[in-house]
Amino acid sequence: MNGVGEFFSWSRFVDDIPRLLPYLPVTLGIVAYAIILGVFLGMVIALLRIHGQWFFQPFLRLYISFMRGTPMLVQILIVFYGLPIVLQALGIEANRWDKIVFVYIAFALNEGAFLSEIFRSSILSVPTGQMEAALSVGLTRWQAYRRIVLPQAIRIALPSFGTDFIALFHGTSLAFLIGVVDIMGRAKTLGASTKHALEAYLFIALLFIVASALLRLLFHFLDRKLSYT
Amino acid sequence: MIEIKDVQKSFNGQSVLKKVSLQVEDGDVVAVLGPSGSGKTTFLRCINFLEHADAGELSIGPKTVDLNRASKREILAVRRKTAFVFQNYNLFNNKTVLENIMEGLVTARKVPVKAAREKAEESLVWVGLKEKRDAYPAQLSGGQQQRVGIARAVVLEPEVILFDEPTSAMDPELVGETLEVIRKVAHRGITMIIVTHEMSFAREIANKVVFMDGGVVVEEGTPEEIFGHPKEERTKKFLSRFINAESMYYI
């Protein structure tokens, strides 16, 4: 009974795989919600930061510096415990919402802040002459944005966006701390019931490595595909 | 006819244009000369609302707009009757040469894609860059980029094309081919206003020359009048510097 097998065995590792994999969609769901809502939110904030009235600016800056200046875990906990109170004041009952909804919201808010800064700097780094040329051939400001400025800004944002995407993926591993049973949460319960946690965590590490590599490949491919030089 | 009246503009309290006016007849080629900082580029940009003038009026044909208080719709209408050729070319970096020329036709003027492509190809042949139709701006020389810039303006068949120092950012050996294309635009009878430092070119192609300095029009007249017999002291001084420089160049 002594030896390495006590701490790690391949057979337990293999056994854990079918017990963990069904929870991968939960993790992917967090990533998907965070990215979709985050991109939307980030774009709106970036445009407001560039073109919005001065009145908005202090609030947006405060929001962004809070999201970038506090740990993700703290943000999840604040949303989890704080949001129901805020919503209650507005007459919305959130106490019975699924825990994962708070995780979606926390990650979307966080992504929105980070992406807004990436988008903002990318938009500002497109030379002003591009907008001027678009206006000069008779495009409206919105058409110029949509057809000329944003495509170039997206191209510039792509590498940072990829890095951010991978970090987000890794960040989801915090969700189990408020009791969401994603792949991490499942590993924890498996560890508790079988007294062997290492195999599950190693499998998760492997999964994250593969996911990161795939994402990096995807962004590398997009980078080449969208190049226009 | 295009009439620009009493344009005023200041940046941070510094007055750059002090009531500048200009009348341009259809088919005119107007060269605007003057030292750097004289306001000529700002003047040109105000016509196209790339710069928001503090005061002034612009009439293209029968329609008059207030340069300071024009509505979005009026601004768009003016932009769709004018075209601009930039000093730094400003081709759309994310579009091919052909797409650059088509953009204004398709998106702004709602010309069907097929017809727009035909027109764009025609204009590309006209500036001698047919083989570059699928290249991106970054793959072209400065001179080639500017020729595309000119094609992009000409294809819109505007009432006037505004050229802002079209050859100033170029390597000297590329200036010739670009001026050649601008000459072709002039021969087509398209109305143009050109801000330039190419004195001999201005003298050759313009039928009206405007000399600006310190935010005002100092003198205007035919090329013969301005280059041959300038009346104002400032004009004489400015031109003598250039003529000296040019004759130096030939030594």
Side-chain angles (χ1 to χ4, degrees):
Chain A
M1 277 302 282
N2 283 328
V4 176
E6 203 171 330
F7 305 106
F8 181 87
S9 92
W10 283 108
S11 75
R12 280 198 298 269
F13 183 84
V14 173
D15 287 345
D16 277 352
I17 293 174
R19 295 181 189 151
L20 286 167
L21 268 185
Y23 294 85
L24 183 60
V26 179
T27 298
L28 296 178
I30 299 171
V31 173
Y33 271 100
I35 279 294
I36 292 165
L37 295 174
V39 164
F40 179 75
L41 191 63
M43 195 52 99
V44 171
I45 294 172
L47 290 175
L48 277 177
R49 287 274 281 134
I50 296 170
H51 295 292
Q53 301 294 319
W54 64 270
F55 170 80
F56 291 117
Q57 304 306 328
F59 298 103
L60 295 174
R61 275 210 297 274
L62 184 71
Y63 164 71
I64 291 166
S65 71
F66 178 81
M67 287 295 167
R68 302 214 301 179
T70 55
M72 188 68 232
L73 180 56
V74 174
Q75 293 169 21
I76 295 173
L77 292 170
I78 288 177
V79 170
F80 183 57
Y81 291 111
L83 190 62
I85 299 170
V86 175
L87 288 177
Q88 202 156 39
L90 298 169
I92 301 166
E93 185 55 54
N95 279 323
R96 295 181 173 246
W97 286 6
D98 194 328
K99 283 172 183 163
I100 197 147
V101 175
F102 297 102
V103 172
Y104 293 155
I105 293 171
F107 275 98
L109 288 174
N110 180 271
E111 267 312 280
F114 274 87
L115 290 178
S116 77
E117 283 299 279
I118 292 177
F119 292 158
R120 190 175 71 97
S121 63
S122 309
I123 290 170
L124 291 178
S125 65
V126 176
T128 50
Q130 295 290 309
M131 173 59 90
E132 290 183 351
L135 295 176
S136 83
V137 298
L139 268 57
T140 63
R141 194 164 276 275
W142 168 239
Q143 286 171 334
Y145 247 110
R146 194 164 45 84
R147 300 187 52 87
I148 308 299
V149 176
L150 286 185
Q152 294 182 44
I154 287 169
R155 180 64 188 71
I156 296 165
L158 206 60
S160 325
F161 184 69
T163 311
D164 182 77
F165 202 128
I166 291 169
L168 164 69
F169 208 106
H170 296 172
T172 62
S173 61
L174 292 169
F176 84 99
L177 286 165
I178 62 164
V180 168
V181 187
D182 66 341
I183 200 157
M184 278 295 287
R186 178 64 181 145
K188 188 123 176 70
T189 57
L190 267 180
S193 63
T194 63
K195 311 273 184 278
H196 291 283
L198 183 59
E199 290 83 356
Y201 290 132
L202 274 175
F203 176 67
I204 288 175
L206 199 69
L207 217 62
F208 275 116
I209 288 171
V210 172
S212 304
L214 284 177
L215 280 173
R216 209 165 292 134
L217 262 175
L218 171 73
F219 277 94
H220 183 71
F221 170 78
L222 283 176
D223 200 51
R224 292 189 133 196
K225 179 97 181 155
L226 293 177
S227 130
Y228 38 75
T229 45
Chain B
M1 194 183 79
I2 296 159
E3 195 176 3
I4 306 139
K5 245 167 73 185
D6 297 337
V7 184
Q8 296 182 52
K9 173 73 186 172
S10 53
F11 292 108
N12 306 321
Q14 179 104 6
S15 184
V16 177
L17 295 176
K18 303 163 185 161
K19 296 211 169 191
V20 178
S21 300
L22 179 66
Q23 268 201 28
V24 184
E25 303 295 331
D26 289 342
D28 266 358
V29 176
V30 181
V32 182
L33 314 177
S36 342
S38 60
K40 44 196 199 312
T41 290
T42 305
F43 175 61
L44 204 66
R45 288 167 60 85
C46 282
I47 300 175
N48 208 14
F49 292 96
L50 289 178
E51 218 66 74
H52 190 95
D54 300 331
E57 272 182 7
L58 166 68
S59 314
I60 300 181
K63 187 135 174 53
T64 301
V65 292
D66 186 314
L67 286 175
N68 183 246
R69 266 170 284 173
S71 66
K72 274 187 179 173
R73 181 185 298 238
E74 284 175 324
I75 292 175
L76 201 61
V78 167
R79 287 192 180 136
R80 287 180 181 177
K81 282 187 228 165
T82 59
F84 207 97
V85 175
F86 294 86
Q87 182 176 0
N88 300 318
Y89 330 127
N90 287 347
L91 297 185
F92 306 130
N93 291 328
N94 58 328
K95 306 222 170 254
T96 65
V97 164
L98 200 68
E99 288 166 348
N100 259 276
I101 303 173
M102 288 168 64
E103 186 62 32
L105 289 173
V106 174
T107 309
R109 314 243 161 140
K110 307 292 176 212
V111 175
V113 173
K114 195 160 169 268
R117 182 174 296 124
E118 273 167 27
K119 279 186 91 170
E121 271 170 351
E122 213 172 280
S123 73
L124 208 47
V125 172
W126 192 70
V127 296
L129 286 171
K130 190 181 159 211
E131 72 286 354
K132 296 288 183 192
R133 71 192 283 278
D134 296 319
Y136 282 98
Q139 298 162 326
L140 304 180
S141 72
Q144 290 170 332
Q145 288 191 51
Q146 194 58 297
R147 278 146 70 194
V148 175
I150 295 167
R152 178 171 74 177
V154 170
V155 82
L156 297 168
E157 295 170 4
E159 309 248 343
V160 59
I161 301 181
L162 310 167
F163 289 81
D164 181 17
E165 305 193 23
T167 57
S168 301
M170 249 167 239
D171 290 340
E173 77 267 22
L174 301 174
V175 171
E177 64 182 49
T178 311
L179 293 181
E180 188 53 45
V181 171
I182 298 174
R183 203 173 276 128
K184 276 174 84 174
V185 179
H187 290 160
R188 245 168 111 155
I190 297 172
T191 312
M192 357 200 286
I193 303 175
I194 309 180
V195 169
T196 183
H197 287 296
E198 299 283 334
M199 294 302 147
S200 50
F201 180 69
R203 184 172 193 166
E204 171 209 325
I205 96 161
N207 65 334
K208 181 171 181 177
V209 177
V210 176
F211 174 70
M212 279 180 74
D213 192 12
V216 294
V217 173
V218 175
E219 193 171 354
E220 58 179 284
T222 63
E224 182 49 31
E225 283 165 357
I226 299 292
F227 288 102
H229 320 282
K231 292 194 204 79
E232 299 290 329
E233 202 49 45
R234 279 195 277 181
T235 319
K236 285 179 194 166
K237 229 172 142 188
F238 175 76
L239 289 175
S240 72
R241 259 204 325 261
F242 267 95
I243 286 157
N244 288 342
E246 278 191 19
S247 46
M248 288 279 287
Y249 185 73
Y250 290 119
I251 298 167

